[in-house]
Amino acid sequence: MSTTRNIREYTLPELKEYFESIGDKKFRAIQTYEWLWKKNARHFDEMSNLSLELRKKLAEDFTLQAITVDVTQTSSDGTLKSRFKTHDGHLLEGVIITKKKRNTACVSSQIGCSLSCSFCATGLMDRKRNLDFDEIYDQVALLNEQSEKIYGTGLTNIVYMGMGEPLLNYKNVLKSIERITASDSMAMSPKRITVSTAGVAKMIRQLGDDKVRFNLALSLHAATDEKRNKIMAINETNNIAALVDALNYFYDQTKNDITLEYVLLKGENDSLEDAEELVKVYRKIPTHLVNVIEYNSVFGIPFEKSDEDSTQVFTDYLVKHKVNVRVRRSRGKDIDAACGQLANKG
């Protein structure tokens, strides 16, 4: 066995094999596994029911590359944003959005992003690397601890809507969800997890093939290829027709909820004609909801949010044409924690 392998890459049977190989008892594997996934230990020296000698041995044979909280900010509306630091010094952000009886964690899947959507702060950053599955898990575990401490109750929902494109870090995202939902870990229901994508048609179909149990959101933001190409470069290789086909395939295979996300940009995608095109797309997909999102300004990006009148006219048209629509008001704007604002500003 490699002496530098991340211990959280080991399954429980593999850990049992390791402890046998060093002449120790198999139940030490169960204790260790519980520290890793139930108690969320971030150092071997936290594993207090293991002997000091055994903890030193584990530290020699394995790494435990947990992320740590670097900076935490709280918005005037109660939203909490944390900047995390990885073992190799990279920064990423996660957010807790609290509303009524829901505490939703918004987590990142990459350090930076490669897609360069023109309205998004993260899109201004380079993609440094993918997050490993256990680093994504750490975000959720740390945000859950913060939720319990600050709000008095743990997380109720998780959305993969932070920094990065989840479907371009496919294997780690799925493995992180596997850990988050596992009975020997956080035991979160997959129905309370939503993965958001800018639209990678091939990987949406792969989600269907893999029969995933979580929900999916598509960041649509424009309902014609001409307009979507302008604000989301990914549309040039994953056009709306391809996404419609992929989403129908995903639903046929999983029957999981699909949400369309649509951020309103003043003078860009908020006209009645745009609403009409959105209705056409909506009717082609078995989606249960359209989230109309208030745009959050980002320094250096020229877009503005739609005014209230335009937003009302747009959503009224959708309702009139039997679209299940919800207007998502921004939360955490004052700490750059709102949709599209995550950029490690701290």
Side-chain angles (χ1 to χ4, degrees), residues 101-112:
K101 294 183 178 181
R102 289 168 65 99
N103 290 345
T104 300
C106 177
V107 299
S108 298
S109 56
Q110 296 178 313
I111 298 164

Side-chain angles (χ1 to χ4, degrees), residues 65-67 85-92 108-114 126-136 163-165 168-169 172:
Q65 299 175 344
I67 67 172
K85 183 178 285 188
T86 65
H87 69 95
D88 54 351
H90 290 297
L91 300 174
L92 60 137
S108 298
S109 56
Q110 296 178 313
I111 298 164
C113 188
S114 60
D126 292 332
R127 187 191 71 83
K128 302 298 184 183
R129 67 170 173 85
N130 287 335
L131 288 170
D132 292 333
F133 80 97
D134 51 326
E135 293 175 319
I136 300 172
M163 303 169 70
E165 166 52 55
L168 294 182
N169 187 14
N172 283 308

Side-chain angles (χ1 to χ4, degrees), residues 8 36-40 42 67 107-108 131-143 160 172 175-182 184-187:
R8 291 192 291 190
L36 295 174
W37 300 115
K38 278 276 192 183
K39 300 178 181 178
N40 301 312
R42 293 181 175 84
I67 67 172
V107 299
S108 298
L131 288 170
D132 292 333
F133 80 97
D134 51 326
E135 293 175 319
I136 300 172
Y137 177 90
D138 278 346
Q139 287 178 79
V140 176
L142 288 167
L143 291 170
Y160 283 65
N172 283 308
K175 194 170 181 181
S176 71
I177 293 172
E178 178 188 310
R179 281 285 86 216
I180 291 164
T181 58
D184 60 8
S185 183
M186 295 183 71

Side-chain angles (χ1 to χ4, degrees), residues 280-313:
K280 292 177 184 177
V281 173
Y282 176 83
R283 289 175 175 168
K284 294 176 183 177
I285 301 169
T287 180
H288 81 298
L289 177 67
V290 172
N291 270 330
V292 170
I293 304 167
E294 179 182 34
Y295 178 65
N296 304 294
S297 60
V298 175
F299 181 77
I301 293 179
F303 295 112
E304 298 177 37
K305 75 171 185 175
S306 296
D307 56 51
E308 288 298 324
D309 287 345
S310 296
T311 300
Q312 191 65 53
V313 169

